[in-house]
Amino acid sequence: MSLVLHLDEVGARHRHLAGGKGYALAVLQRHGIPVPPTLIVTTRAYEEFVAATGLRGRILLELRRKSFQEMRWEEIWDLALRLRHLFHTTPLPPDLAARLRQELAPHLPERSVVRSSAPGEDSRQTSFAGLHASFANVAGLEAVLEHLKLVWASLWSDAALLYRRELGLDVRKSAMAVLIQEMVVGDRSGVAFGQNPQDPAQAVVEAVYGLNQGLVDGTVEPDRWLLDRATGQILAYRTAPKGEVLLPGKEGVRLAELAPAQRQEPPLNEAEVLQIYRLVRRCEEIFGAPQDVEWTFKGGQLVALQSRPISTPPPEGEGDQRPWYLSLRRSFGNLKALRRKVEEELLPAMNREAEVLAAKPLKKLDEAALKEEVISRSRSYRRWKKVCWDDFIPLAHGVRLFGQIYNDAVKPRDPYEFLDLLGAAGMLALRRNRLLMEMAARVREQPELLEEVRRGQVRDPELQPLWRTFMEEFGDLACGSSTCGLSSETLASLLEEMAHRSIQAERFDPRKVEDLQGQFLSRFSGEKRVEMAQYLELARASYRLRDDDNLYLGKIAAQFLRALEEYRRRGGELRELPADVQELGGELTATPAKGPGAVGVTGLGRLKARQLIGQPASPGLARGSARVVLTADELFQFRAGEVLVCDALDPSMTLVVPLAAGIVERRGGMLIHGSIIAREYGIPCVTGVPRATRLIHTGDPLTVDGYLGIVILG
Amino acid sequence: MTDATEIHQILQELLQGQRLAVLATVAAEEPRRPYTNLIAFTATADLKEVLFATPRATRKFADLTATPHVSLLVDNRSHRETDFGEAAAVTVLGTASELLEPERERYQAIYLAKHPYLRDFVTAPTCALIRVRVEKYILVTRFQEVHEVVPAS
């Protein structure tokens, strides 16, 4: 059976086989609208691939590890990364590859755009943009086949997984067709909406110089015309600052400087705007609903690249954060600017604010002023928390972007190998642990020094500078969400434990990092290599900043709690504070609930977890006694060789990580603090274990399998 | 993560819904290796007992008479790759004994309610009705999530 359809073969009965975009292009062509020459690899090829390679079963296993309701968006991203990796590293079965080659080769354009064409995509509910992948300027049959798999994989992209219910995503039924289009190198391109989503009486035309990928992924800002939907009369025109243009590179696309003459000129004249308006209205006539059309002008000819119903993302329910999540996918340029802002403005400002607050003598404030101070500090915390959401979390996308690039280039066995290249070693939490270990080494030599630490008066000439630096930089940092209070006493007992046991040292090895880096960069040459080095640099910065921000925010939180404590010490009533301040105080000091591990089953008996599934976050196998840590007290009771079980490992808890045999965490994700630190120390770690702190008890014998992501009790 | 209510529900579905189970006994004769059989079973409404029938001349009857500690496996696999994510399996650990009158009559009615087509088999004078008192259920879901349920005594 044929795996490839040509546009002129596609009829109504091929709608599913060709997918939404493929079908729409065939219809446009039949109506005489110029479209690029297009081959359609039907859904049959996808189905054959996932069946013959066993991938369908593997996808199902991945999806079934955990219920979606219990997944954080980071875990969904991780899931999508693993699935993409499966597609990427699973070769096409020889027979399938041979048939695809045979059918594609005679008609393959010199340069192609490889685009997704999901069935059902032509319906209004499921056509919203940005779910699946497209690749421009792919040259050669083998490269096309590689990209084919990546487009297939995007059926399971993080965005698609987030909207799986609306899309009806189902391992047994869902499939993906792929378009192989001749790459039309237009001089001006854009999108047009037959109906403005913001104003139904208008139509919209957006245009850029060069390829329209720049517009679609947000790298290049378009000029924009609003038109009267009924008459096509131009109502408004907004020009955009024009400096860059997206052009085909040797492979893929590249950003270049726009010629000076074009910077002042709109990409379209009025007649051309009108021509595009007519095209989009004609498409609407053909399909019977307002369309979203991608177009390009090549040598004066207007070509329709795709047409689909105007997307209406599913209505947002209350608290639906999916649109926010989708907005995190940012371009390289955008992330570079964000990094500058975070590194040069936000983090220093946050640190300064923490220092100013720390220096303020609370004891000298009168009651009214102290109350004001508590309120103002709570506002400060909330303001910075918002900055975290608005700027720091989006910056973490730099790591994701790099992970994808690395996996595409290197195809490593472990899809998280790229993390080793990012060098967590520079992180503040690790710097603090290094200080602790140096102090512990001194205490090992002279155990009587512990007494000095315990008294808070260290005189030993070797220990004192370490101790002083530690207290100055990190003294307030033991204060996190639930683990406040690093007293001299607890610091001493921590050092004692560290001094007496052999503990994990970081496995950071500069040579290994260099090797990995060389291996990665050697796959590129020339300009591309420079660009890739920049991606790596951005990823390193965002990896580090994303973790350090937790510590900085912890400092602000500590200052709020300090003022609140002083307020209460003087007999101030909590209920006299504004509700949001009371709430924040509760939130920052609350202890996550610990529940019975044996959950009674109605009418049956005692229930006990024997083996729990999470995500393999750091490889290795560990066995030890569980220590469930929810409070500061529990943290400082931690003994070497125990398995740390916690709700969410925050940087304030990292202190004891070098003592731990293994780590189990309720919160999931590969880029969370716990996973990063565990990998750095080479400690087996499983994250994303729902209700870990309820089902596991201190003292339970635990086995942590960091290869498989499972935790065995008993 | 599968919660308590869900676990109870899955156990109920498996034990009431499935008709066949794999029974493992310890061989009465040397070498005393595990011996497995496919059997038609049912469970009592409180899920504390599992019932099956066997002719007394069989090897499994001899085995469980010698060693009453048995285990059973009940699952809902469909023999497709989707099983790896979707199938659930429960291992039942318990102690087996033959039901004798006057108890037998009541349990036979429970057994036949699920397997009416086995009336002639069960009522044959050579057939024994076996009860397994459940000591523990070990439930596996999502390929490797494992929970243990000990029925209240």
Side-chain angles (χ1 to χ4, degrees):
Chain A
M1 203 177 295
S2 157
L3 297 169
V4 176
L5 285 171
H6 295 248
L7 276 191
D8 49 17
E9 297 175 310
V10 174
R13 69 196 165 90
H14 298 113
R15 212 178 165 125
H16 180 86
L17 279 176
K21 274 182 213 152
Y23 179 72
L25 280 175
V27 172
L28 290 182
Q29 180 174 275
R30 217 166 31 248
H31 283 83
I33 293 174
V35 297
T38 301
L39 298 165
I40 303 170
V41 178
T42 67
T43 49
R44 232 178 251 142
Y46 172 90
E47 280 159 4
E48 227 183 284
F49 178 65
V50 295
T53 54
L55 218 56
R56 186 179 279 142
R58 294 179 76 179
I59 298 170
L60 198 84
L61 267 181
E62 284 288 354
L63 295 183
R64 278 295 174 129
R65 278 185 91 82
K66 192 171 187 176
S67 79
F68 274 105
Q69 281 67 34
E70 288 179 311
M71 273 191 210
R72 306 165 62 237
W73 59 262
E74 284 203 36
E75 292 176 273
I76 292 186
W77 179 79
D78 282 325
L79 177 59
L81 175 92
R82 290 198 298 271
L83 292 175
R84 188 178 191 277
H85 196 65
L86 278 181
F87 275 89
H88 197 35
T89 51
T90 303
L92 287 168
D95 165 61
L96 178 63
R99 280 152 55 219
L100 282 170
R101 282 192 191 101
Q102 195 187 352
E103 290 188 49
L104 288 173
H107 314 281
L108 194 72
E110 201 176 316
R111 301 207 161 246
S112 312
V113 179
V114 184
R115 273 181 202 265
S116 64
S117 180
E121 212 177 15
D122 46 353
S123 84
R124 206 177 157 83
Q125 286 73 36
T126 56
S127 75
F128 49 102
L131 294 176
H132 305 129
S134 283
F135 299 92
N137 197 21
V138 180
L141 187 53
E142 295 314 306
V144 164
L145 292 182
E146 272 302 298
H147 286 88
L148 182 66
K149 286 195 292 170
L150 291 181
V151 175
W152 283 341
S154 73
L155 182 60
W156 307 100
S157 73
D158 51 350
L161 289 171
L162 279 175
Y163 287 96
R164 68 203 168 274
R165 260 194 303 274
E166 289 84 346
L167 295 171
L169 206 52
D170 180 337
V171 181
R172 281 158 298 196
K173 294 186 212 122
S174 295
M176 172 80 94
V178 180
L179 308 185
I180 311 213
Q181 283 183 319
E182 183 178 305
M183 168 106 185
V184 180
V185 184
D187 35 41
R188 286 137 328 132
S189 319
V191 295
F193 298 90
Q195 187 168 41
N196 184 351
Q198 268 92 48
D199 182 346
Q202 296 176 345
V204 185
V205 172
E206 293 183 339
V208 296
Y209 284 105
L211 303 175
N212 68 343
Q213 276 83 359
L215 186 163
V216 175
D217 72 13
T219 322
V220 183
E221 207 184 322
D223 281 23
R224 186 180 165 105
W225 290 263
L226 296 178
L227 300 96
D228 185 314
R229 185 171 133 78
T231 63
Q233 192 198 348
I234 295 175
L235 304 172
Y237 163 65
R238 193 201 62 198
T239 177
K242 286 182 273 298
E244 289 174 312
V245 57
L246 209 69
L247 299 173
K250 222 167 94 195
E251 276 170 64
V253 291
R254 69 188 172 92
L255 207 54
E257 297 251 316
L258 190 63
Q262 292 177 321
R263 290 187 192 188
Q264 310 305 325
E265 279 294 304
L268 300 173
N269 62 35
E270 285 196 11
E272 288 166 332
V273 172
L274 200 64
Q275 201 182 340
I276 293 163
Y277 162 80
R278 282 198 212 102
L279 170 70
V280 76
R281 291 305 307 260
R282 174 82 183 111
C283 293
E284 178 170 341
E285 248 173 63
I286 294 169
F287 294 109
Q291 297 289 297
D292 161 354
V293 173
E294 280 187 34
W295 55 266
T296 193
F297 264 113
K298 189 188 177 187
Q301 193 194 26
L302 180 59
V303 179
L305 301 173
Q306 69 169 58
S307 177
R308 63 177 173 202
I310 287 175
S311 52
T312 42
E316 283 174 45
E318 199 169 332
D320 185 353
Q321 290 183 334
R322 294 180 299 181
W324 173 82
Y325 171 75
L326 289 184
S327 77
L328 292 180
R329 296 196 284 182
R330 304 197 179 190
S331 68
F332 182 58
N334 183 307
L335 286 168
K336 262 205 311 203
L338 186 58
R339 173 191 171 183
R340 257 197 309 278
K341 181 175 165 197
V342 168
E343 225 167 14
E344 288 166 22
E345 296 168 32
L346 296 173
L347 282 180
M350 199 166 159
N351 206 21
R352 260 196 318 275
E353 186 157 331
E355 275 167 19
V356 169
L357 294 180
K360 213 174 224 180
L362 291 174
K363 295 224 171 0
K364 288 194 188 149
L365 297 179
D366 66 29
E367 240 109 286
L370 181 62
K371 187 174 165 193
E372 271 319 299
E373 188 65 23
V374 173
I375 296 170
S376 125
R377 288 181 182 201
S378 86
R379 304 279 137 85
S380 160
Y381 176 81
R382 288 206 194 273
R383 200 170 57 244
W384 285 112
K385 179 100 188 169
K386 187 170 178 316
V387 170
C388 277
W389 272 74
D390 293 347
D391 295 308
F392 297 168
I393 297 178
L395 188 58
H397 187 67
V399 178
R400 306 205 157 90
L401 196 62
F402 177 73
Q404 188 157 320
I405 289 172
Y406 184 87
N407 286 347
D408 285 358
V410 180
K411 285 198 188 181
R413 218 174 65 88
D414 169 11
Y416 294 102
E417 186 177 279
F418 71 94
L419 291 178
D420 294 342
L421 191 48
L422 299 183
M427 286 174 183
L428 289 178
L430 284 158
R431 177 172 150 67
R432 180 185 54 189
N433 278 10
R434 248 171 263 140
L435 276 170
L436 274 174
M437 282 194 246
E438 284 173 44
M439 282 157 56
R442 181 69 187 139
V443 167
R444 196 175 303 128
E445 285 166 15
Q446 292 202 18
E448 63 277 13
L449 291 178
L450 267 183
E451 210 30 56
E452 295 188 3
V453 177
R454 199 163 277 137
R455 281 200 314 268
Q457 292 171 336
V458 178
R459 300 224 164 72
D460 176 68
E462 269 183 56
L463 188 59
Q464 200 210 34
L466 296 170
W467 178 79
R468 184 159 299 226
T469 314
F470 179 84
M471 294 311 279
E472 272 170 19
E473 284 187 36
F474 302 111
D476 55 349
L477 282 189
C479 210
S481 50
S482 58
T483 49
C484 209
L486 179 70
S487 65
S488 299
E489 177 62 41
T490 47
L491 176 61
S493 74
L494 185 64
L495 287 179
E496 188 174 10
E497 189 67 15
M498 283 184 151
H500 284 96
R501 312 287 184 112
S502 73
I503 52 171
Q504 300 283 342
E506 290 163 68
R507 65 193 185 111
F508 173 72
D509 175 359
R511 261 208 324 266
K512 191 183 167 214
V513 176
E514 245 170 64
D515 284 354
L516 279 177
Q517 179 170 339
Q519 228 181 76
F520 166 64
L521 289 176
S522 70
R523 317 218 167 208
F524 306 94
S525 61
E527 254 178 60
K528 195 83 185 161
R529 188 166 172 150
V530 177
E531 191 189 334
M532 288 302 126
Q534 285 180 354
Y535 272 90
L536 171 59
E537 173 50 26
L538 174 74
R540 281 188 171 145
S542 57
Y543 194 47
R544 198 174 55 235
L545 295 175
R546 189 48 204 108
D547 205 61
D548 292 353
D549 69 11
N550 282 314
L551 282 175
Y552 287 122
L553 192 64
K555 285 188 178 195
I556 305 266
Q559 292 310 323
F560 163 68
L561 291 175
R562 199 163 69 91
L564 188 65
E565 203 180 287
E566 176 67 14
Y567 173 79
R568 295 180 72 176
R569 196 185 60 81
R570 293 199 211 163
E573 291 283 351
L574 268 186
R575 58 189 149 78
E576 279 172 26
L577 294 169
D580 65 311
V581 180
Q582 294 178 37
E583 210 175 286
L584 182 64
E587 196 183 302
L588 291 176
T589 49
T591 304
K594 210 190 301 194
V599 185
V601 178
T602 338
L604 197 55
R606 218 155 30 85
L607 170 70
K608 216 177 111 193
R610 260 178 66 155
Q611 185 171 297
L612 300 169
I613 314 181
Q615 189 174 337
S618 172
L621 183 73
R623 198 167 158 74
S625 179
R627 169 78 61 184
V628 181
V629 171
L630 299 172
T631 64
D633 278 354
E634 286 162 336
L635 182 67
F636 295 114
Q637 280 160 19
F638 198 90
R639 292 293 163 261
E642 291 179 331
V643 175
L644 174 61
V645 180
C646 59
D647 185 68
L649 186 86
D650 66 58
S652 64
M653 295 161 77
T654 315
L655 294 165
V656 302
V657 166
L659 294 169
I663 299 173
V664 177
E665 180 171 348
R666 190 266 316 158
R667 184 172 60 170
M670 282 306 291
L671 299 180
I672 57 171
H673 185 76
S675 306
I676 292 173
I677 296 300
R679 257 184 104 96
E680 200 54 31
Y681 283 107
I683 297 173
C685 174
V686 177
T687 63
V689 179
R691 274 171 281 181
T693 57
R694 297 177 67 103
L695 297 170
I696 303 170
H697 296 95
T698 293
D700 283 349
L702 277 193
T703 305
V704 182
D705 186 333
Y707 298 104
L708 293 175
I710 55 178
V711 179
I712 302 147
L713 289 89
Chain B
M1 166 67 203
T2 323
D3 69 15
T5 330
E6 221 180 323
I7 285 169
H8 192 190
Q9 200 187 333
I10 297 171
L11 280 177
Q12 203 123 37
E13 277 167 18
L14 287 173
L15 294 161
Q16 314 285 8
Q18 295 294 321
R19 291 175 188 275
L20 300 177
V22 175
L23 168 75
T25 55
V26 178
E29 286 167 17
E30 293 294 334
R32 306 196 66 199
R33 62 161 62 99
Y35 179 69
T36 49
N37 319 253
L38 201 59
I39 53 147
F41 80 99
T42 192
T44 53
D46 61 7
L47 304 187
K48 288 180 183 173
E49 295 160 304
V50 170
L51 310 173
F52 65 91
T54 174
R56 288 192 193 82
T58 57
R59 182 177 300 202
K60 63 177 163 298
F61 186 78
D63 287 355
L64 62 86
T65 308
T67 311
H69 304 299
V70 297
S71 56
L72 294 111
L73 180 78
V74 185
D75 68 275
N76 60 6
R77 79 194 113 142
S78 58
H79 296 279
R80 279 192 284 265
E81 61 202 342
T82 49
D83 281 341
F84 291 98
E86 293 184 342
V90 61
T91 300
V92 183
L93 304 184
T95 306
S97 58
E98 184 180 353
L99 282 159
L100 303 171
E101 294 301 350
E103 266 187 323
R104 179 177 165 132
E105 198 184 326
R106 188 163 64 85
Y107 282 98
Q108 186 170 299
I110 298 173
Y111 186 77
L112 286 175
K114 185 159 164 191
H115 301 287
Y117 38 82
L118 293 180
R119 174 168 295 278
D120 291 348
F121 173 69
V122 178
T123 53
T126 47
C127 193
L129 188 63
I130 308 291
R131 158 171 65 191
V132 177
R133 284 206 165 91
V134 178
E135 281 140 31
K136 198 181 271 185
Y137 288 107
I138 298 158
L139 178 69
V140 183
T141 49
R142 296 182 193 283
F143 185 47
Q144 15 184 41
E145 192 172 77
V146 190
H147 287 93
E148 209 177 84
V149 179
V150 178
S153 45

